[in-house]
Amino acid sequence: MARFDSCALILLVTLLFIVSASSAKESAHDCQRVCDGGPARRCVYDFHVEYYFTMSKACFDCPHKGEDCDRHHCIPADGIERGVIAINRQLPGPSIQVCEGDRIIVNVKNHLPGESCTIHWHGIHQVGSPYMDGVPLVTQCPISPASSFRYNFIAENPGTHFYHSHSGFQRSDGVFGSLVVRQNKERDPHSSLYDYDLPEHVMMISDWLGELGVAKFVAHHHDDGDNKPSSMIINGRGRIPKPRNELTSNETMPLSVFNVEQGRRYRFRVISNGFLNCPIQLSVDDHMLTVIASDGGAIQPIEVDSLVIHAGERYDFIVNAGQEISSYWIRLHGLMDCGPKRVFQAAILRYHGALETEPDAILTYENTNRLGKVLNPVNIAPGDDEHITVAELKAMSPSKTNDWSREPDRKFVLSYDFNPINSWHFHDPEHYPIFGAEKNHRLYTPQINHISLRMPPSPPLSQHGDLPFGTLCNESTVVNCQQEFCDCTYTLQIPLGSLVELILIDKGVTFDATHPFHIHGSAFHVVAMERVASNVTVDQIKLMDQKGHIRRNLVDAPVKDTVAVPDGGYTIVRFMATNPGYWLFHCHLSFHIEVGMGLIFKVGEHHDFPQVPENFPKCGSWLPPVDEDEFESIVIHNLPYNVTDKNEKFGDGTTLRPPTSSDLDESFSFSSGESELTTEVPFTLSDEDNFVIPQHLTNGTLSHSESPMIHATSGANPFGISFISFALLPFGYIYTVFVRR
């Protein structure tokens, strides 16, 4: 009898999967199924990325005819007409829902005229497949217009994840979608707590703009435009933030509806594609949320009235449909930068048998803020009876290994703030320096350890040998960065197999903000978190640690891949560096990572990396030698160190190439004829590294190799022509005389 009941339940869940899929615009993929322990499948998807438009002609008479809003290729969003970038003309993009161990193959075709793209699989660790991580100029070349790229990887870590573009502001414009990796019921530690885990119960939430993200970005960074979102959407739908009784008929857009049956328990999966500083509080009227997982990591269940989700985070929670048959508001309340425009949003939890009407209550910005116990509060740590931080969550079961609880092999203190620095991207030190501009035109640059991440010209994962000398950097290779702007490919070397501890410190001097940090290629244990004061110094946190005032949970700390750091405080995480490759670590707010708030972990050496896929695309700068006549007529200003081809040969057959660290044990010396360049290197790096050296900096500024003249006043010497330029002139002359002839 028990076996019959089990079979009947599986059949019922399967039928619900089919019914929920048939109600969607697109038919369900074959891989969207009950994960019953059957063989792994090969799941192929075709993504067409293109410019598109909300409320387009495909929407006909939406919202006046609700069924028109469900038409093929109709993207209602919040009813504001605007350009978007969409996958398959859907918002969000197609949901990928597979079983643990399935192979995911996604063919991405770029139809964007003049704009490249990539897709990152947020939460998938890409063990053995680092080339599929989707970070342009780190793990792959950008997918150029009219080109295609095939992502091919195993869904090895279960949980609620998502995918999104990692190019520019495409994520804010619509290039995102859910990616759910389900487990066999026997492997799911929470399977006894819920009856259904349906595809339709995935909530993809995002802040939203009334314009393309790049327009918002340039207005804020080059003028006095704000950086505040104007709306939110849930699964691609929403309304502008006004009470319902103040909306016009054109503004009364259909909302997302989630159907349940009375007496059943449902697993919901909520994903934040947030791109601006707008944490979102989520609650369901008359229902508690039993949170069971975050970022794919199972936690000991905790019941709360609401939860706050930051950009890049995911939470799984259970709703017990034990109330009267009716419709209930799902309330979303915008925090931080959503406050000035009072941004809120709603969806509907509808019981089977209820009237297809909206709940009676009129929602406002104020009443979407639910009182009671909240998980993951903003800038509150440690927690109390009403505020539970993620550091106070407990992993469902202790880690299989206690390696992560021992003394770390590598410890990095990563502090950051918005720095009053003359970034050449947004301020010209001579014509409009940061403190020479009006207050509302000053652009404070978010930096980690006073360094801005500048992407290399080629991905180091697949084209390390093509990188110009001095591309990579770290704190030991830059100088004077607290006074002058430093941007370079900020890279930290980690030996394979190391236990790494990161002490993330938000100094909190300039603004009251919160930054969610995301790690690629791994997940971490969140072992400590505290807001110390409105602002702190690195020395304060170090002293607290030395005195034993920072308590780390080294027993059952939760496992996540995205975590917020309290303003004026710290968050400490640990991870095992067992996945070789180049992995991005960055703030997940789009306006911050796009100006360099991140760094790269190089885990292991190149001989540890999986082999570069056959015919993998290549890219990079092209700076060929000039003709003799042209060379003699050129006046060179701020010539970057390595503009010659790395295989260029001199008349005696010797080759000029970028030195590796094997050349740099103590110093690098090259001589040809009477020319000699000697540079002392005050640190030792492992073989195959390609780091910048201090003597190639002037006033702490790393010149942008393709825009040398922009540093005429900030990164150059007073004469406008660097020593390196003079040092290289004999090389160019020898090449012209002896090689070209």
Side-chain angles (χ1 to χ4, degrees), residues 20 22 52 152 164 183 204 240 275 284 290 346 360 397 439 536 671 680 690 695 699 720 736:
S20 66
S22 65
Y52 198 54
N152 187 339
H164 59 80
Q183 287 181 296
M204 191 93 218
I240 59 175
F275 54 89
V284 182
T290 303
D360 293 334
S397 57
K439 186 175 181 180
V536 295
S671 63
E680 297 295 325
N690 196 3
Q695 285 76 2
N699 296 332
T736 304

Side-chain angles (χ1 to χ4, degrees), residues 180-436:
V180 176
V181 181
R182 290 186 172 85
Q183 287 181 296
N184 186 335
K185 185 176 181 180
E186 283 69 32
R187 289 174 52 81
D188 180 356
H190 295 304
S191 59
S192 63
L193 300 181
Y194 59 89
D195 301 307
Y196 302 116
D197 176 14
L198 302 179
E200 66 180 30
H201 287 165
V202 176
M203 295 182 179
M204 191 93 218
I205 65 178
S206 183
D207 42 10
W208 193 244
L209 301 175
E211 59 189 331
L212 286 170
V214 67
K216 189 83 168 178
F217 177 82
V218 295
H220 175 67
H221 288 76
H222 293 286
D223 201 5
D224 60 353
D226 69 62
N227 59 350
K228 318 301 183 202
S230 56
S231 184
M232 294 180 198
I233 51 176
I234 308 174
N235 288 355
R237 296 188 171 200
R239 293 171 181 165
I240 59 175
K242 294 198 299 187
R244 183 175 57 197
N245 56 352
E246 297 179 12
L247 295 170
T248 67
S249 59
N250 289 332
E251 295 170 336
T252 309
M253 303 301 297
L255 300 174
S256 292
V257 178
F258 300 90
N259 296 299
V260 296
E261 185 178 345
Q262 188 183 40
R264 300 293 186 178
R265 301 165 301 169
Y266 294 85
R267 180 175 188 161
F268 282 79
R269 301 170 181 266
V270 60
I271 305 162
S272 174
N273 179 60
F275 54 89
L276 294 175
N277 188 17
C278 176
I280 297 173
Q281 181 191 30
L282 181 147
S283 63
V284 182
D285 283 6
D286 299 330
H287 294 76
M288 300 293 286
L289 311 179
T290 303
V291 183
I292 59 173
S294 180
D295 299 353
I299 61 172
Q300 296 178 24
I302 180 171
E303 189 174 70
V304 295
D305 293 278
S306 67
L307 63 85
V308 173
I309 187 168
H310 293 265
E313 286 190 306
R314 295 89 66 205
Y315 287 94
D316 294 28
F317 59 86
I318 296 169
V319 171
N320 183 0
Q323 301 299 319
E324 294 182 0
I325 293 177
S326 186
S327 294
Y328 298 87
W329 284 124
I330 299 172
R331 305 184 186 219
L332 271 64
H333 179 80
L335 303 169
M336 300 299 287
D337 282 356
C338 272
K341 296 186 179 180
R342 304 165 64 82
V343 176
F344 67 94
Q345 196 50 267
I348 298 171
L349 181 75
R350 179 167 292 149
Y351 280 56
H352 178 72
L355 296 176
E356 293 189 6
T357 57
E358 296 182 1
D360 293 334
I362 302 296
L363 298 186
T364 65
Y365 179 73
E366 288 75 18
N367 67 23
T368 51
N369 179 17
R370 180 163 171 172
L371 302 178
K373 183 182 290 187
V374 57
L375 173 63
N376 198 23
V378 176
N379 288 341
I380 296 177
D384 51 38
D385 291 342
E386 296 296 305
H387 304 90
I388 311 299
T389 72
V390 296
E392 291 154 342
L393 297 174
K394 307 294 184 184
M396 186 59 187
S397 57
S399 177
K400 296 178 182 178
T401 173
N402 61 358
D403 279 353
W404 66 275
S405 63
R406 60 180 170 82
E407 185 66 21
D409 301 304
R410 292 289 187 274
K411 183 181 290 188
F412 298 104
V413 175
L414 305 178
S415 69
Y416 59 85
D417 207 341
F418 295 88
N419 296 322
I421 205 83
N422 278 313
S423 165
W424 65 264
H425 297 281
F426 310 113
H427 285 283
D428 184 295
E430 180 179 351
H431 301 289
Y432 44 96
I434 184 168
F435 290 116

Side-chain angles (χ1 to χ4, degrees), residues 635-641 643 698 703-717 719-726 728:
V635 178
I636 302 176
H637 296 279
N638 286 347
L639 185 68
Y641 173 73
V643 298
T698 306
S703 300
H704 190 290
S705 61
E706 295 178 358
S707 304
M709 285 304 295
I710 202 166
H711 294 288
T713 57
S714 63
N717 62 34
F719 300 102
I721 303 177
S722 70
F723 167 77
I724 301 300
S725 301
F726 282 116
L728 286 178

Side-chain angles (χ1 to χ4, degrees), residues 120-125 157-162 164 271-272 294-297 310-315 390 502 504 516-526 558-564 573-575 584-588 601:
H120 169 58
W121 314 95
H122 187 115
I124 301 297
H125 299 160
N157 48 305
T160 303
H161 312 303
F162 74 118
H164 59 80
I271 305 162
S272 174
S294 180
D295 299 353
H310 293 265
E313 286 190 306
R314 295 89 66 205
Y315 287 94
V390 296
L502 308 179
L504 309 174
F517 276 86
H518 172 59
I519 191 170
H520 291 225
S522 184
F524 43 61
H525 295 268
V526 183
V559 179
K560 289 172 58 66
D561 58 47
T562 306
V563 68
V573 301
R574 288 185 173 192
F575 67 95
L584 192 63
F585 178 75
H586 62 99
C587 175
H588 213 266
F601 292 122

Side-chain angles (χ1 to χ4, degrees), residues 33 57 73 82 92 111 115 133 153 302 335 345 397 401 442 450 458 489 516 571 629 644 666 719:
R33 66 197 190 278
K57 56 191 174 187
H73 290 168
R82 54 153 292 184
H111 299 279
E115 188 170 350
D133 195 45
F153 56 91
I302 180 171
L335 303 169
Q345 196 50 267
S397 57
T401 173
R442 295 173 188 169
H450 293 277
S458 305
T489 306
T571 294
D629 293 341
T644 54
E666 294 182 357
F719 300 102

